[in-house]
Amino acid sequence: MQFDVIVIGSGPGGYVAAIRCAQLGLKTACIEKYSTFGGTCLNVGCIPSKALLDSSEHYHNAAHTFETHGIKLKDLKVDMSQMIKRKNEVVQKNTAGITFLFKKNKVTSYQGMGSFVDKNTIKITKADGSTETITGTNVIIATGSKPSQLPFLPVDKKRIITSTEALTLTEVPKHMVLIGGGVIGLELGSVYARLGAKVSVIEFMDGIIPTMDKGLGKELQKVLTKLGMEFYLGHKVTGASVKGKEVTVKFDSPKGDKMELKGDYCLVAVGRVAYTDQLGLENIGITVEERGKKITVNDHMETSVKGVYAIGDVVRGAMLAHKAEDEGTMVAELIAGQKPHINYNLIPGVVYTWPEVASVGQTEEQLKEKGVAYKTGSFPFKASGRAVASGDMDGFVKVLADKTTDEILGVHIIGPRAADMIAEAVVAMEYRASAEDISRMSHAHPTYTEAMREACLAATDNRPIHI
Ligand code: FAD
Ligand code: NAD
């Protein structure tokens, strides 16, 4: 079979690239090594984690906040097998959706491991060992990533686990020791803390979610501490051992004191590395970066080999589903002769804890480092009528604007529905709005988004109405 484009990998980068190529009239194939489409995101990432976050939030609210709303419940219990069953159904619906979209758009799909024979020829090795070869004028590598491991702390997938196993636990842990206070750790840590587990987080840096604006990490830590999570910041993990059902994690305090924690599970969430195993990159002369194993690409996502592109987690930049999707669309349109563009500064980042954390643009730390003169406007949710009504008063919106022009340079939110609220900031910043522009636009009352308007009023000339 001869195609215009062959996409290897069907995660959000690969399936979006394949569908966009097909929409543009290109004869397209997509190869996926797993039995379902959708990659990390749909199978063991974004979607299942959000399903469990939602379920555990319902339980937590039923146990802790329903009574304040005048709702009394008796004999509340967690049915872990039902929670996991529902999560699996959510995953199944989403992955089946990709099969439907491939058919609808006439993308030819192959199940098997794709590897380069040469730059235009891909061998597909199927589960039964049989092989098939297809050729393509262009190839898009969208093979994603896998969890990073610490060399001195091997994952056994039973007691020392990664996010993949943490999404399929059949019991609520008694004590989960979590290595890494980043996005995965805090999202999955929240799930189990809400269900009643003790959760201890050991983080190497001096704050959680260290790549986001510092104010967000500090506020999130306060809220998660209230939830019962404990934090060992600036601590260095040195090893772990398993005896029966018990894991002992050893680590050093910032002063060098030797410490240890015992738990029934240890979740290692210290980042992810690009996945290019068995892809046969050596057959076409592509080498991967030493650290992170990423494939080097130019601004058009083209590798050092003409006609071979790479997108998503397997290349530089944030490991986010929507970034992979944007790159998938961009490459498809480039191949079709269009001139698309991605503004990497405006790719939002979200942590789906409760309250949610969402951010776009520059952080205060980045503006300081670059010597940009900026002003700040903040508005706390405790002053929002909507937040008081729903009982979600933790957090704030912080707007950073250029000191002279008032252009919005960054928006950092921790609060209810921050993940949805950040879209307003992305649109505003894409059109280079000033804080005053947003503060003059009508925001429905009562909504959480009024906090964004108030933070803009505070940034423009310090005149919020409700604080
Ligand atoms: P992937 O989704 O990893 O897909 C790559 C696919 O390629 C896989 O299906 C793999 O089997 C296949 N493949 C690999 N090699 C071959 C080969 N040789 N032949 C055939 N197929 C191959 N991001 C967000 O934006 N929001 C979130 O809420 C979020 N939550 C997450 C939660 C968790 C627990 C995890 C682990 C990740 C989360 N992410 C989230 C990150 C997100 O999942 C990734 O950024 C995204 O999936 C990357 O997409 P991709 O297409 O580059 O790769
Ligand atoms: P991460 O980079 O977000 O966090 C890893 C954390 O581990 C960091 O804070 C780091 O300082 C810490 N760390 C590293 N080595 C350590 C060590 N030896 N001891 C203690 N701490 C250590 O990575 P992650 O949480 O594993 O997530 C992986 C990727 O998946 C991220 O890039 C993220 O973008 C993506 N993801 C996104 C979402 C989302 O968008 N909501 C959710 C989950 C995952």
Side-chain angles (χ1 to χ4, degrees):
M1 287 286 275
Q2 163 69 33
F3 293 92
D4 295 320
V5 184
I6 298 173
V7 183
I8 308 177
S10 72
Y15 82 73
V16 169
I19 291 171
R20 187 72 188 115
C21 284
Q23 284 177 343
L24 290 162
L26 299 162
K27 190 176 172 199
T28 308
C30 183
I31 307 168
E32 170 55 55
K33 75 183 170 103
Y34 287 133
S35 56
T36 53
F37 298 118
T40 303
C41 173
L42 270 60
N43 290 284
V44 289
C46 324
I47 298 299
S49 60
K50 266 78 255 180
L52 290 183
L53 277 156
D54 282 336
S55 298
S56 60
E57 200 182 312
H58 287 314
Y59 173 76
H60 179 79
N61 285 337
H64 299 282
T65 66
F66 273 19
E67 211 161 317
T68 64
H69 289 271
I71 305 165
K72 294 197 183 210
L73 289 173
K74 258 196 200 147
D75 301 329
L76 196 64
K77 265 200 242 89
V78 177
D79 179 348
M80 203 60 202
S81 57
Q82 168 58 23
M83 208 176 273
I84 296 293
K85 183 169 161 268
R86 177 188 172 273
K87 183 264 312 181
N88 291 341
E89 286 163 5
V90 170
V91 168
Q92 197 275 332
K93 275 191 192 127
N94 278 278
T95 57
I98 307 299
T99 309
F100 165 79
L101 291 173
F102 277 174
K103 281 201 185 111
K104 180 183 164 212
N105 288 283
K106 302 194 172 49
V107 172
T108 307
S109 59
Y110 292 91
Q111 232 89 38
M113 188 82 182
S115 63
F116 284 94
V117 176
D118 60 47
K119 84 180 191 66
N120 300 108
T121 313
I122 307 293
K123 183 171 85 178
I124 304 162
T125 308
K126 303 186 182 166
D128 62 4
S130 63
T131 60
E132 185 175 349
T133 300
I134 59 175
T135 55
T137 312
N138 301 279
V139 180
I140 303 173
I141 303 168
T143 50
S145 62
K146 62 176 183 183
S148 290
Q149 300 222 9
L150 297 170
F152 50 86
L153 205 153
V155 165
D156 66 7
K157 299 194 179 182
K158 290 189 180 80
R159 294 287 151 186
I160 303 179
I161 58 176
T162 69
S163 56
T164 304
E165 294 76 48
L167 292 167
T168 53
L169 292 187
T170 50
E171 59 178 357
V172 177
K174 289 182 189 65
H175 183 191
M176 179 176 264
V177 180
L178 223 154
I179 305 177
V183 201
I184 292 185
L186 299 180
E187 288 187 0
L188 294 177
S190 294
V191 166
Y192 289 105
R194 289 167 188 169
L195 297 179
K198 176 176 175 191
V199 176
S200 307
V201 181
I202 306 172
E203 164 59 52
F204 186 68
M205 305 293 278
D206 62 1
I208 56 171
I209 42 168
T211 53
M212 295 181 98
D213 192 278
K214 284 256 180 302
L216 297 176
K218 278 191 195 146
E219 180 73 6
L220 183 61
Q221 191 183 337
K222 261 195 246 161
V223 183
L224 295 180
T225 303
K226 272 197 266 171
L227 183 66
M229 287 171 67
E230 61 176 24
F231 294 90
Y232 295 87
L233 302 181
H235 287 65
K236 194 170 161 227
V237 176
T238 52
S241 55
V242 180
K243 212 181 208 177
K245 291 183 176 179
E246 188 177 77
V247 195
T248 305
V249 180
K250 292 191 186 306
F251 55 109
D252 293 345
S253 79
K255 288 184 188 150
D257 300 330
K258 302 282 172 212
M259 302 177 68
E260 65 174 44
L261 282 173
K262 288 185 191 300
D264 46 352
Y265 290 94
C266 168
L267 168 58
V268 182
V270 293
R272 293 177 64 86
V273 283
Y275 183 81
T276 55
D277 297 4
Q278 298 174 57
L279 190 54
L281 287 179
E282 61 287 357
N283 296 337
I284 55 168
I286 292 180
T287 50
V288 295
E289 290 165 15
E290 182 102 16
R291 255 193 103 212
K293 309 277 176 222
K294 298 210 171 202
I295 297 175
T296 306
V297 286
N298 64 17
D299 287 348
H300 288 174
M301 317 305 300
E302 200 165 25
T303 65
S304 54
V305 179
K306 202 168 165 34
V308 177
Y309 301 84
I311 58 170
D313 280 12
V314 82
V315 301
R316 83 281 180 273
M319 288 182 158
L320 295 173
H322 43 289
K323 176 257 191 189
E325 289 185 34
D326 291 353
E327 290 178 343
T329 301
M330 180 165 94
V331 168
E333 293 176 355
L334 281 165
I335 292 172
Q338 299 183 4
K339 293 188 170 52
H341 168 75
I342 293 175
N343 184 349
Y344 282 95
N345 182 43
L346 295 189
I347 292 177
V350 174
V351 189
Y352 293 83
T353 45
W354 194 265
E356 291 172 338
V357 182
S359 214
V360 67
Q362 303 286 297
T363 63
E364 276 208 72
E365 293 74 32
Q366 286 168 330
L367 292 176
K368 277 183 193 143
E369 202 182 302
K370 289 179 189 159
V372 177
Y374 68 95
K375 47 192 185 163
T376 311
S378 282
F379 188 80
F381 280 101
K382 64 174 185 276
S384 146
R386 184 72 191 90
V388 174
S390 69
D392 294 301
M393 291 172 287
D394 289 317
F396 55 81
V397 176
K398 179 163 87 174
V399 171
L400 307 174
D402 186 282
K403 193 158 196 163
T404 318
T405 65
D406 197 37
E407 179 178 350
I408 301 173
L409 303 175
V411 176
H412 307 283
I413 309 176
I414 172 165
R417 302 279 165 238
D420 298 298
M421 282 180 63
I422 202 70
E424 177 181 12
V426 176
V427 174
M429 291 170 73
E430 193 66 73
Y431 286 95
R432 303 197 60 178
S434 64
E436 186 181 355
D437 287 333
I438 298 301
S439 67
R440 289 191 180 280
M441 289 176 193
S442 187
H443 286 66
H445 174 77
T447 59
Y448 301 121
T449 65
E450 289 169 292
M452 171 74 180
R453 183 189 209 177
E454 291 274 1
C456 286
L457 278 167
T460 305
D461 46 16
N462 198 19
R463 54 180 184 87
I465 300 290
H466 293 91
I467 40 168

